[in-house]
Amino acid sequence: MSPDVAQAAIGLPATPTQPKPKRLLKRRSFKLDKEEVVKSVIEKYEDDLADRSEWAEARLQRCAKYRGWLETKSYPWPHASNAHVPLLMTDSMRTQDTLHNAVLAQRPVMAAQALQRVDKEKGETVDNLIDYQLFIEQNGEEKVGELIDHFVNDGTFVAYIPWVRDDKTIADVRVFPTPPPELPVEAYIMERLREIFPQAQGQPKPDDPFSWDLITLEDDKVVKVTAEFYSDEQGRLVMVAERPTRIYEGPLVIPKSLEEVVVPSRSSNLQPPGPSNPGGAPHVILVDYPTKDEIRRLQKQGVYDLMTSEDVR
């Protein structure tokens, strides 16, 4: 007799069972003094600006020569000719054109390298996806040109590349023929909803058969849809369905001018310092000027999680 049969004969389970362990939930808590954090950032920002004041003045003078900003000439007579010979601008534009053409001549400009051999065939798909996101969805030709301009004129460029998820509520407006008189309007609306949202489930709002709350699946995600029905001047049925949709998800290239990037003056790059990177920046401050609408949207999405509704006002 096998051990499993012997255990079953005496009423024991064939395979020992153990109670399922409870799911461990451990969250990180940050106890920060908001005033101290703001004070520390402002102090570092002001110290870095004062430390690079000479560099900023030299950069301004170089920009003035590049653009031909000349003072009024008073010698040998008042308002004498003061023509600007654009030597710097000519060489800069020629170099920028060469670099820009070199980038656009090879598409895709970035190549993905698989960490595992089984994913090697996916490299071309990833290359085309990144190329589409950069040059089609983000108007990449202008961004590449802006980065090249910073590189040629300033000797370096900075690109902030966060992973962005942009969700917005879109309205799907559709016009249907006039409902036939022999068919109730409620039944006609249900037929149209089944055509448009075949996987949806929902019901009309109480005391309003023309307003529907639906739940459907889009890309294996549950999406809530609000559908409102109206009639136009010609008696046709008009549907306005609103639902949240992710219009973009991926890396976003944001060129930053050197005025918007504040670091200690002796930093050679923006990566964290360490034994392998002794010239790294101990801190990086990005100066931004968001609009009030952007602040409100990011606060609703949870990006600005320390803000309250009263702070937005």
Side-chain angles (χ1 to χ4, degrees), residues 39-78:
K39 183 179 179 181
S40 175
V41 173
I42 293 177
E43 289 180 354
K44 293 179 180 178
Y45 174 76
E46 294 177 349
D47 292 343
D48 292 342
L49 287 183
D51 193 22
R52 71 177 192 179
S53 58
E54 295 183 2
W55 168 86
E57 180 65 24
R59 181 172 179 268
L60 179 60
Q61 294 297 330
R62 186 173 65 253
C63 181
K65 293 180 181 180
Y66 170 78
R67 297 186 177 276
W69 298 341
L70 303 176
E71 298 180 357
T72 303
K73 189 176 181 180
S74 58
Y75 177 82
W77 54 77

Side-chain angles (χ1 to χ4, degrees), residues 13-239:
T15 303
T17 60
Q18 296 180 356
K20 186 177 180 181
K22 296 182 180 180
R23 183 180 180 183
L24 298 179
L25 295 177
K26 183 179 180 180
R27 298 181 179 179
R28 300 177 64 185
S29 61
F30 296 93
K31 296 181 180 179
L32 302 176
D33 189 340
K34 300 179 183 179
E35 296 183 359
E36 291 295 331
V37 171
V38 173
K39 183 179 179 181
S40 175
V41 173
I42 293 177
E43 289 180 354
K44 293 179 180 178
Y45 174 76
E46 294 177 349
D47 292 343
D48 292 342
L49 287 183
D51 193 22
R52 71 177 192 179
S53 58
E54 295 183 2
W55 168 86
E57 180 65 24
R59 181 172 179 268
L60 179 60
Q61 294 297 330
R62 186 173 65 253
C63 181
K65 293 180 181 180
Y66 170 78
R67 297 186 177 276
W69 298 341
L70 303 176
E71 298 180 357
T72 303
K73 189 176 181 180
S74 58
Y75 177 82
W77 54 77
H79 304 290
S81 176
N82 195 15
H84 166 61
V85 181
L87 297 178
L88 289 178
M89 182 176 293
T90 301
D91 295 339
S92 173
M93 298 302 296
R94 182 183 295 111
T95 304
Q96 290 184 45
D97 291 344
T98 302
L99 294 176
H100 199 270
N101 292 334
V103 172
L104 297 183
Q106 183 178 359
R107 297 275 300 273
V109 297
M110 290 170 285
Q113 185 175 2
L115 298 179
Q116 299 181 3
R117 187 175 298 179
V118 295
D119 298 330
K120 187 176 181 180
E121 298 179 356
K122 302 177 183 178
E124 184 178 355
T125 303
V126 176
D127 298 343
N128 295 330
L129 174 60
I130 296 177
D131 185 84
Y132 179 85
Q133 289 179 329
L134 175 60
F135 288 97
I136 305 300
E137 295 184 333
Q138 304 180 37
N139 198 9
E141 291 189 13
E142 292 188 4
K143 290 188 177 182
V144 171
E146 185 175 354
L147 294 175
I148 292 176
D149 178 85
H150 294 168
F151 175 74
V152 174
N153 294 329
D154 294 328
T156 185
F157 70 87
V158 177
Y160 178 51
I161 309 178
W163 187 272
V164 175
R165 295 182 179 90
D166 192 1
D167 297 331
K168 290 185 178 180
T169 301
I170 65 172
D172 185 3
V173 181
R174 304 198 184 192
V175 181
F176 304 103
T178 304
E182 66 276 4
L183 185 65
V185 178
E186 293 80 358
Y188 185 77
I189 291 177
M190 293 180 62
E191 291 181 358
R192 304 288 79 78
L193 290 175
R194 291 194 188 99
E195 294 176 358
I196 303 172
F197 307 104
Q199 299 180 346
Q201 297 181 357
Q203 58 185 359
K205 296 181 180 180
D207 302 329
D208 190 358
F210 298 96
S211 300
W212 287 69
D213 291 331
L214 307 174
I215 297 178
T216 184
L217 291 177
E218 291 185 1
D219 298 331
D220 298 331
K221 296 181 180 179
V222 178
V223 178
K224 295 182 180 180
V225 182
T226 301
E228 301 282 348
F229 290 88
Y230 308 90
S231 59
D232 60 5
E233 295 79 2
Q234 303 178 7
R236 298 176 301 180
L237 190 66
V238 180
M239 183 197 73

